Amino acid sequence: MLEKHFQLSQRYLNSALSFLEIHNLIIYPEPGVITLSDEVCDKLSVSLINSRKMLLDSLMQSQAFIEFTYFIGKGKNEKESVRLILSLYDIKQSEAVVLKIFQEWIKLLGIKISEKPLKNQTLDGIKNSLQNKLYANNFIKEFLDDDLRNVSEQVITELSNAIKEIPEDNEASINEGGRALEDFLRLDLAKDIDLSRCSGIGEIANELNKYPQYPKKLNSLCLGLSSVRSIGKAHGADKILKVKWSITEHGATGYIIMVLSVIKSYLVFKQESKTVF
């Protein structure tokens, strides 16, 4: 029925519905019945404008789609890019089907893919990425390179949110960047260690100091980043000075660069036993 209504193939329709279900946009309350999830209904009840934003937010959690746009931005054509995606993510779909889906997402959301490579580890790279979520995610991909696949989607989303807050809300940016680092330490880096009793980046860093596989230099950097995070929205006025710190755009930008650098350095050491920062 649906394929006739939308004039789409069953295979294409199944792929689209699977995407919507994975990202909690639709649910199946009973066999043969499809409806919007409660979360989507709540957001749409506020404003129909949210529908486009919700879809974009969901797409930005799809690493395959992010990397597809990244490869195009690096100068590869669409067919080359989708071929790489199918290989990297072991997607059991034809090139034509996946390419058509990606093309329609880009068209539907009016996404503009920059063909100018982002400059890694520079303020220019951050500035470019501030334009929208896609650029933010591509900047993160450019920075972490192949290590991106060892970082959970939750952390990438938080890093992207941190970038997008600059310069409108630099305090929120630092808080979000700190949350990304904390979640990376818990979810991605030290999954073999029980960190449930640790509260915040600082306590996690102190716990990691007990294990030789986590370089103390990087743990110390985490302590410093934890201190910076405390002057953002995570805490109020300085306990000693009795005044609140102001966060500049450069400060927030530098914080994101440091968080990304620490994440990459941890991963390089863990996988290759190399001390690179």
Side-chain angles (χ1 to χ4, degrees), residues 45-145:
S45 66
V46 177
S47 171
L48 287 175
I49 297 175
N50 283 341
S51 59
R52 184 177 182 275
K53 181 179 182 298
M54 281 190 302
L55 182 54
L56 182 59
D57 287 345
S58 296
L59 288 180
M60 291 308 101
Q61 295 176 31
S62 171
Q63 288 307 308
F65 181 66
I66 291 171
E67 292 217 45
F68 173 74
T69 63
Y70 172 78
F71 288 137
I72 292 177
K74 297 292 283 185
K76 295 186 180 297
N77 63 43
E78 289 184 335
K79 289 187 177 180
E80 284 181 299
S81 299
V82 82
R83 195 173 297 124
L84 283 167
I85 293 304
L86 293 180
S87 175
L88 289 171
Y89 291 91
D90 194 27
I91 298 174
K92 306 301 183 184
Q93 292 281 2
S94 71
E95 290 181 19
V97 169
V98 176
L99 179 57
K100 184 178 180 182
I101 291 173
F102 285 172
Q103 287 173 330
E104 293 197 2
W105 287 352
I106 290 171
K107 182 179 179 181
L108 175 65
L109 295 171
I111 294 173
K112 295 181 180 179
I113 301 175
S114 172
E115 294 184 359
K116 181 180 179 181
L118 295 174
K119 297 178 182 178
N120 194 13
Q121 302 180 21
T122 67
L123 293 181
D124 287 340
I126 283 280
K127 292 292 186 183
N128 288 338
S129 71
L130 293 178
Q131 295 179 48
N132 61 34
K133 278 195 172 186
L134 183 62
Y135 288 165
N137 279 279
N138 278 341
F139 175 78
I140 295 166
K141 161 63 183 173
E142 177 84 4
F143 202 108
L144 296 178
D145 200 24

Side-chain angles (χ1 to χ4, degrees), residues 259-270:
V259 167
L260 283 166
S261 298
V262 167
I263 288 175
K264 186 169 182 66
S265 190
Y266 267 126
L267 290 173
V268 170
F269 184 81
K270 185 175 183 179

Side-chain angles (χ1 to χ4, degrees), residues 28-40:
Y28 294 86
E30 58 184 82
V33 177
I34 305 172
T35 184
L36 296 175
S37 68
D38 291 340
E39 180 183 357
V40 171

Side-chain angles (χ1 to χ4, degrees), residues 132-191:
N132 61 34
K133 278 195 172 186
L134 183 62
Y135 288 165
N137 279 279
N138 278 341
F139 175 78
I140 295 166
K141 161 63 183 173
E142 177 84 4
F143 202 108
L144 296 178
D145 200 24
D146 290 340
D147 291 314
L148 181 75
R149 297 184 194 95
N150 297 310
V151 180
S152 61
E153 288 187 359
Q154 178 176 329
V155 173
I156 293 170
T157 297
E158 289 163 350
L159 288 168
S160 176
N161 290 339
I163 291 173
K164 293 189 294 84
E165 292 289 357
I166 305 169
E168 284 76 15
D169 195 337
N170 298 319
E171 290 184 357
S173 173
I174 283 186
N175 192 43
E176 198 72 23
R179 181 181 294 113
L181 177 58
E182 180 176 347
D183 285 343
F184 165 76
L185 297 174
R186 290 185 188 276
L187 303 176
D188 303 322
L189 181 70
K191 292 183 286 188

